[in-house]
Amino acid sequence: MKEVKSVKKKVAFATCVQLGQSCIEEILRIGGELDLLICLKDNKAKNKSGRIYLDEIAATYNIPLLKIDNINDDEVLNTLKAHEIDWLFIIGWSQIAKREVLNTPTYGCIGMHPTLLPEGRGRAAIPWAIIKGLRKTGVTMFKLDEGVDTGDIIAQEAIYLNETTTASELYKKVDEMHISLITNNWDSVVNNRINLQKQNENSATHWPGRKPEDGEILNVMTMDEAEKLVRAVTHPYPGAFFKDETRTLRIWSAITNKRHGEIKLSDGYLIPIDYEIEVEL
């Protein structure tokens, strides 16, 4: 741990999605101060789920805004040093911060992950929680290290799911939990009173990334598999889809029936409720 140069902690925040912006807004709401905002350049990740831009909030609160290509770029290191940043929050950021970035702020970097770590390290945590039929997930605030979601835990709070929870609903709950974790831990973080807890490697699991094409509904799926997939990749994600000989259906919500329906499955049918005919072949 480096020597503290001043009582006031200087904090930077890097994000390009709504979950991070919600945290920034909460920090400012509770009277916290941010000394630097970092976001991707406007032409980067334009189709990323939940993509946001920080120009307005930076201008409103007169916070310097750095727009970058990569969190590991030299301009990030140089700007963190120039602003003498003590803590850097990196939330909703798909690029992995390397050692030099992690070691530049006085105390280090903090992230959030939408699972109860060490379960569900990796990507696509919200869709996977639904596809796996979890009844409990959550959000973890942790100190970033060089691994993927392997750093020491600062705090975590649980979210409960049921058999009808959609990605839209879970994303909203995850967003609310990010805000709650900021509210409950901001003072401890900026005053360096946090208690770090090692993750139990014996309980660790890793969930792989998902691509839009992973949302395809196939006739060999069961009703349970297809219905979960629809709920798991609905808004703000690209949506489930089904192709037949003449069209592609983009399905945002659906129900199942054992005896009849539009899409034949291995043990019944899927009936699209909210859908679009995306392609006419």
Side-chain angles (χ1 to χ4, degrees):
M1 191 72 69
K2 297 177 182 178
E3 182 181 356
V4 181
K5 296 180 178 179
S6 64
V7 174
K8 177 184 177 296
K9 307 301 183 291
K10 303 187 74 172
V11 179
F13 204 113
T15 190
C16 61
V17 299
Q18 182 58 51
L19 295 175
Q21 180 171 318
S22 295
C23 293
I24 291 171
E25 292 169 346
E26 178 64 6
I27 290 169
L28 298 171
R29 188 192 71 79
I30 62 178
E33 296 182 6
L34 292 170
D35 299 272
L36 174 67
L37 296 176
I38 300 173
C39 192
L40 287 174
K41 291 180 178 177
D42 292 351
N43 63 342
K44 306 279 287 186
K46 295 175 72 173
N47 296 322
K48 183 179 179 67
S49 299
R51 175 75 155 97
I52 55 89
Y53 302 85
L54 296 175
D55 302 74
E56 183 175 346
I57 198 167
T60 300
Y61 289 90
N62 194 29
I63 305 170
L65 173 61
L66 177 65
K67 296 184 179 183
I68 62 173
D69 290 310
N70 192 292
I71 195 68
N72 298 297
D73 288 346
D74 287 342
E75 66 175 332
V76 176
L77 300 174
N78 294 334
T79 306
L80 292 173
K81 292 173 183 174
H83 286 267
E84 299 181 310
I85 295 301
D86 294 309
W87 283 107
L88 170 60
F89 281 85
I90 305 176
I91 293 180
W93 200 276
S94 58
Q95 300 160 349
I96 303 301
K98 296 180 180 178
R99 178 184 301 178
E100 195 167 6
V101 173
L102 299 176
N103 290 339
T104 296
T106 307
Y107 297 113
C109 299
I110 293 174
M112 296 249 209
H113 186 70
T115 72
L116 296 173
L117 291 173
E119 180 181 32
R121 293 173 177 171
R123 301 184 184 276
I126 290 175
W128 278 124
I130 295 171
I131 291 170
K132 292 176 179 291
L134 301 186
R135 288 293 177 263
K136 180 182 177 183
T137 183
V139 178
T140 301
M141 175 186 281
F142 64 105
K143 186 173 181 180
L144 295 173
D145 63 12
E146 292 183 80
V148 178
D149 305 321
T150 55
D152 293 347
I153 293 170
I154 297 171
Q156 54 187 185
E157 297 182 15
I159 296 172
Y160 294 91
L161 299 77
N162 59 38
E163 65 278 3
T164 65
T165 300
T166 67
S168 307
E169 295 165 345
L170 184 53
Y171 192 97
K172 183 174 184 295
K173 290 181 179 180
V174 165
D175 188 52
E176 293 169 350
M177 197 61 71
H178 275 66
I179 294 171
S180 175
L181 283 164
I182 288 289
T183 305
N184 295 330
N185 295 281
W186 174 257
D187 284 343
S188 296
V189 169
V190 297
N191 290 297
N192 205 28
R193 295 197 301 263
I194 58 176
N195 294 313
L196 297 175
Q197 178 183 350
K198 294 286 184 187
Q199 295 190 34
N200 182 355
E201 291 300 319
N202 294 328
S203 301
T205 58
H206 188 278
W207 297 344
R210 295 184 60 82
K211 300 176 181 177
E213 51 265 38
D214 295 328
E216 184 171 8
I217 294 171
L218 304 172
N219 295 117
V220 296
M221 290 179 170
T222 65
M223 291 190 292
D224 181 65
E225 290 170 337
E227 192 271 338
K228 282 179 179 172
L229 182 58
V230 171
R231 288 191 287 113
V233 298
T234 191
H235 302 294
Y237 300 106
F241 63 95
F242 177 77
K243 293 181 178 179
D244 63 19
E245 295 179 352
T246 61
R247 60 183 182 170
T248 297
L249 299 181
R250 182 72 54 178
I251 304 169
W252 302 109
S253 67
I255 59 175
T256 57
N257 188 286
K258 289 185 179 180
R259 290 182 289 277
H260 60 82
E262 185 159 350
I263 300 173
K264 181 72 174 72
L265 301 169
S266 65
D267 58 350
Y269 294 85
L270 186 72
I271 304 172
I273 302 299
D274 180 8
Y275 66 96
E276 300 161 11
I277 301 176
E278 191 171 72
V279 178
E280 293 285 355
L281 298 176

